Structure formats: structure tokens, C-alpha cells
Amino acid sequence: MTVSETARRVVSSTLSLVPIDLVLVLAYVTFATAAVETGQGSTVQFLIGVGLVLFAPGYTVVAALFPGRPRQREERQPTSVLALARPHDGVLVRERLALAFGVSVLLLPIVAVGFGAVGVSLTTTSILAAVWGIVGVGAVVGTLRRLALPERERFDLLMVAQRVGTGRPLADDSTTTLLTVGLCCMVVVALGAFSVAIAGPSQSMSYTSASLLTTGQNGEPVASGYPANVSQGDAVPLVVRVTNNHDTAADYTVVTRLQRVEGGTVQSGKRVWQGQTRVGVNETWTQNHTVTPPFAGQDLRLTYFVYRGSVPETVSQSTADEVLYLRLDVFPNGAGNPTGNTTGQR
């Protein structure tokens, strides 16, 4: 045996242990992540983002589920005149590619719902982290499952490449090929907008969130124990929290008014507190404060108007970025102060 033959066998034996397709997917995800993080929302970046979101996660999941190569069944009588390919076991290359897009599309809403359940915002960074998690787990599981099979039964991209052009195309007929290509095109077009959001940092979700809280027994803000019955002139401790989920820092102002409402219409009101500060990108402003009711009344409404930027002359629900409210019964001095709790924020 010559040195060249020995080297060839060593290389062939090594490549049989390496999942070339999964290595290429990992290399692409690495490149795409760098491009998305450093790019400026160009067309090239958009195309890279499409493959990153709509192909790579699904491909590694399919690789983990189907580690073997397809095997042709023995020739039988066709069960249907509409059969597009010869019967086989396993997943063909064309089916593997189509499933990669389909599974990726299935994973998108699952990731979005999961993020919402744990309170994680859908940003470029969080989506990239999810893609890496799915791709990493899929690649590891797929590699281990392939190595557990006999070598002749493993899916091998190099073997597929060697068969291209030798009379064994990826698809057995043009109809199946067209259907597969059509499916992939429809998936890309249908979810193109989502890819733009991931590929372009300028398209990330931007919003302001706010909440009205109280101070718990451990001194931390909690969404419970809201005051319901207070006395006129008594200081009522509350906590307002504002989060800037925009791409730029901004000045935030919170204007608080105690309002008398009848029939859903504000009859009168008076400003009882106001706070202002600058909030950075993805930062949260938490402000402890007290509110002193200047007049008494039943079913009064303590309303917080949250403004990003300047405050207009007319403070109202229609002009505010966020509005929070709390229902209060305010008793005149010396009239008693029944206790009770209620939650009335929006």
C-alpha cells in the first residue's frame, strides 16, 4: 500500500466521522451572526438573516431526528397513479431541505411565546441566542445519533455530492423538484418581514412599558396590596416603574392626577405628583413617591400619565404614551379610614 493510498484512507475514515453538513451549518451561523450584529440593514444582510432564521435551526433539528440516509424499497406495484417518486424509507435530500424550512417556521412562534412567558423581549440579541441554542443542541444530538449508526447507514453529504451528475439527481422527477422549490419560496416570502426585523437592528421592536406598584414587606416593589380607602391629607406611598424599550435614550415624565369621574367622564381633577428623569436604552426607572389626596370623594381615580419626551399642554389619556390608574375612596379628615385592598391599574 502506497503512502498516497494510506493518506487517502485516513482522510476518508476521518470524514466519515465528521458530519460535513452540520459543520457547514455551524460555520454559516457563525458568519451570519457576525454579519447581523455588525451590519446596517442592507439587502445582503437581509438575505443572510433569511437563511439564519428560516433554515439553519430547522435543518439541525431534522438532522437530529433523521440521522440516517434514505434506503430504496424493493420495487412494488405503485399504490397510486399520483405517486411522484419511488417508495423509500428515511428522508431524501430534497425532503430534508423542505423540512428544514418547515420546522424553522414552526419554531418561530414557539420561541416568541416562550420569550413572552419568561418576560424576554424579542430583540436581535435574544433571537440570535435562541437560534444558537437550537442549532447547537440539534448539531450535537444529530452528530451523536449518526455516529451510533453503521457507517453505510449514516447520512453523508459527501456521498450525496458524489452522486450529483451521475444519473442520481436529488429528486426523482421534475414535478417533485418544482413542488419543493415552490414550498421553500412561499415560506421565505411569507416570513420575509420577520427576517427583516431580525436582520436589521433599526427594525427592532420599540415601545414604552409602565406599571404602578406598592412596596412589599421586604422593601421590594410588588403588584399587590394597593390602597383602596384613605383619608384626605394622608400621604399614600406608591411606586411607579417605567422601562424604555426604544433604540434611543429619552426623557420620561410621569404626571399624576386625582380625578373625580361620573358616567365615564372626568368632571374635575388636580395634579398630586410629577416625576421626571432620563432613561437609557432598555433601562428601567423605578420611583418611590407619595400621593396626598387634596379632596375627598367616593370612587375617585388616581391616574398616572406617562410621557416619552415633552409633555403637552393638555394632559390626557389620548396624548400619553402609557396610562395607569388606581381607584380610591378618600374620606374627609376625622371620618374614619376603613381598610381594604384593590387593584385598578391598566
Side-chain angles (χ1 to χ4, degrees), residues 19 22 26 60 63-64 133-147:
L22 296 180
L26 288 173
T60 55
I134 296 171
V135 170
V137 173
V140 171
V141 174
T143 300
L144 294 177
R145 294 199 65 195
R146 284 188 195 179
L147 295 178

Side-chain angles (χ1 to χ4, degrees), residues 18-57:
V18 178
I20 301 299
D21 56 325
L22 296 180
V23 172
L24 292 176
V25 170
L26 288 173
Y28 172 76
V29 172
T30 302
F31 162 75
T33 299
V36 169
E37 288 282 13
T38 61
Q40 299 297 325
S42 63
T43 302
V44 174
Q45 187 186 9
F46 163 75
L47 296 176
I48 293 174
V50 169
L52 178 64
V53 177
L54 298 182
F55 178 76

Side-chain angles (χ1 to χ4, degrees), residues 180-255:
T180 303
V181 173
L183 171 63
C184 296
C185 291
M186 286 188 292
V187 169
V188 172
V189 172
L191 296 176
F194 186 88
S195 297
V196 171
I198 300 305
S202 61
Q203 302 293 327
S204 59
M205 296 177 62
S206 296
Y207 60 95
T208 296
S209 61
S211 58
L212 183 60
L213 310 168
T214 63
T215 302
Q217 294 181 353
N218 59 355
E220 296 295 325
V222 295
S224 62
Y226 294 94
N229 306 288
V230 298
S231 294
Q232 180 182 351
D234 286 351
V236 181
L238 291 168
V239 181
V240 65
R241 174 173 288 172
V242 179
T243 302
N244 177 18
N245 294 298
H246 294 267
D247 295 329
T248 58
D251 292 327
Y252 277 88
T253 302
V254 178
V255 179

